[in-house]
Amino acid sequence: MADYSIRIYQDSDYQIVREIFACGLLEHIKASFRHTLSLPHIRFLLAVGSLVPLLTTGSFAISLMVVTIALLILWFINRQIYTSYIQQSLGQDMLDIGKYYCQRDNCCFWVAKSAGEVVGMVAAAPFCHPGDKKLMELKRLSVPKRHRGKGIAKALCRTVIDFARKKGFQALTLDTSVCQISSWKLYEKIGFRRTRTFYSNDYFAEFIDLRDVNYWTHIAEDAHFIKASKLDEKTCRNDYVQCSVNIVPIKTAEKSSGTKVK
């Protein structure tokens, strides 16, 4: 029997939900940075950056300094992309969660709780589609590392699928990043299919090959979801890092009229 329960978001969840969201994204910076360093054009630039100073000055110290500065810049670019997205989201749909998700038609936000603690979150909102298909987006799915491997993320996804079906939607969509491999495995195990990859509007995203990955699943085709085998716990054991993000104060949210997500 599961030692957690899922319920609709309450105002008392505000701060912890925003912290889980921010930390859940920041923990992917390391994977993104490793991905950046694996790119051929990045390796070439680092090699040139080390050889040119060495050949022109004969100084290993200067060569090492140039490479170190280049690595720091690459780390900063990766971190900046994630932190910019976090701050944007915290100022939009995550600013007044109750108003944005719980007071609008066909939207909802859920939290998973265990022993009085919030251990996961997920949201759902209609997604504009050029066709006639009624499409819902699964958003803000996050489970802290110490609570992974318990089926919480799968249960939260199931909650969104059931919600979408009851509301008459035909399909679900979601976006994740190329570096969130454990997320891919979860979504694919529960019936989502990858449709495309694309770059965000951030100028540096293409330079470091930080692509977003889009997934779809048709509601009528997800019956095998229940039969899916339990997700291997090892796929969910990413580090849950401590992070410091400038969280918008609750008073600000209370005054907000609720900015609409793009």
Side-chain angles (χ1 to χ4, degrees):
M1 183 175 179
D3 62 350
Y4 58 85
S5 60
I6 297 174
R7 63 162 172 76
I8 293 176
Y9 166 88
Q10 298 175 357
D11 290 340
S12 58
D13 305 321
Y14 182 79
Q15 196 65 26
I16 185 61
V17 159
R18 285 160 59 88
E19 290 174 1
I20 290 174
F21 166 73
C23 291
L25 283 173
L26 285 181
E27 70 181 52
H28 297 297
I29 294 176
K30 290 181 180 179
S32 179
F33 182 62
R34 288 193 296 269
H35 175 70
T36 298
L37 296 182
S38 72
L39 301 174
H41 68 279
I42 295 297
R43 291 185 174 185
F44 174 77
L45 291 175
L46 290 173
V48 171
S50 64
L51 287 174
V52 170
L54 183 61
L55 294 175
T56 55
T57 67
S59 173
F60 285 100
I62 294 177
S63 178
L64 180 61
M65 181 179 67
V66 170
V67 172
T68 300
I69 292 173
L71 290 173
L72 288 173
I73 291 173
L74 291 173
W75 174 264
F76 175 80
I77 290 173
N78 278 274
R79 183 175 176 82
Q80 181 62 28
I81 290 175
Y82 277 94
T83 55
S84 294
Y85 176 73
I86 290 169
Q87 292 299 336
Q88 180 186 45
S89 300
L90 291 177
Q92 295 183 339
D93 64 306
M94 296 291 289
L95 179 60
D96 194 338
I97 299 169
K99 186 171 184 178
Y100 190 92
Y101 287 106
C102 300
Q103 297 179 23
R104 299 169 64 220
D105 291 340
N106 298 323
C107 295
C108 200
F109 197 106
W110 299 266
V111 298
K113 294 200 72 176
S114 177
E117 178 185 4
V118 174
V119 296
M121 53 183 271
V122 74
F127 184 84
C128 295
H129 189 264
D132 296 328
K133 182 175 294 186
K134 291 190 68 178
L135 185 63
M136 179 165 285
E137 184 177 12
L138 186 153
K139 301 163 63 74
R140 308 311 182 206
L141 178 65
S142 187
V143 176
K145 182 248 180 178
R146 63 184 179 277
H147 297 292
R148 292 174 188 166
K150 302 176 182 178
I152 297 174
K154 184 186 286 188
L156 288 167
C157 288
R158 177 78 242 177
T159 299
V160 174
I161 290 173
D162 289 344
F163 177 77
R165 181 184 290 111
K166 290 176 182 177
K167 293 293 184 178
F169 284 78
Q170 298 174 342
L172 272 172
T173 186
L174 63 88
D175 292 332
T176 185
S177 79
V178 70
C179 298
Q180 293 173 244
I181 298 175
S182 61
S183 297
W184 299 0
K185 293 180 179 180
L186 169 63
Y187 298 137
E188 290 169 6
K189 276 180 178 276
I190 63 178
F192 281 86
R193 300 184 181 91
R194 186 186 303 191
T195 61
R196 66 189 181 103
T197 62
F198 60 97
Y199 294 108
S200 67
N201 294 327
D202 192 283
Y203 175 79
F204 291 107
E206 188 169 356
F207 177 67
I208 64 171
D209 192 37
L210 185 58
R211 288 165 289 150
D212 290 330
V213 185
N214 179 257
Y215 280 92
W216 275 58
T217 186
H218 291 279
I219 302 298
E221 297 177 358
D222 87 318
H224 69 287
F225 181 100
I226 300 175
K227 299 179 181 179
S229 60
K230 184 178 180 182
L231 182 63
D232 185 353
E233 292 184 4
K234 292 182 180 179
T235 66
C236 294
R237 289 178 181 171
N238 293 330
D239 292 334
Y240 182 70
V241 298
Q242 295 297 320
C243 60
S244 57
V245 179
N246 293 325
I247 304 296
V248 179
I250 294 179
K251 291 183 179 179
T252 304
E254 293 174 347
K255 295 179 181 179
S256 170
S257 59
T259 307
K260 199 171 183 179
V261 167
K262 294 181 180 180

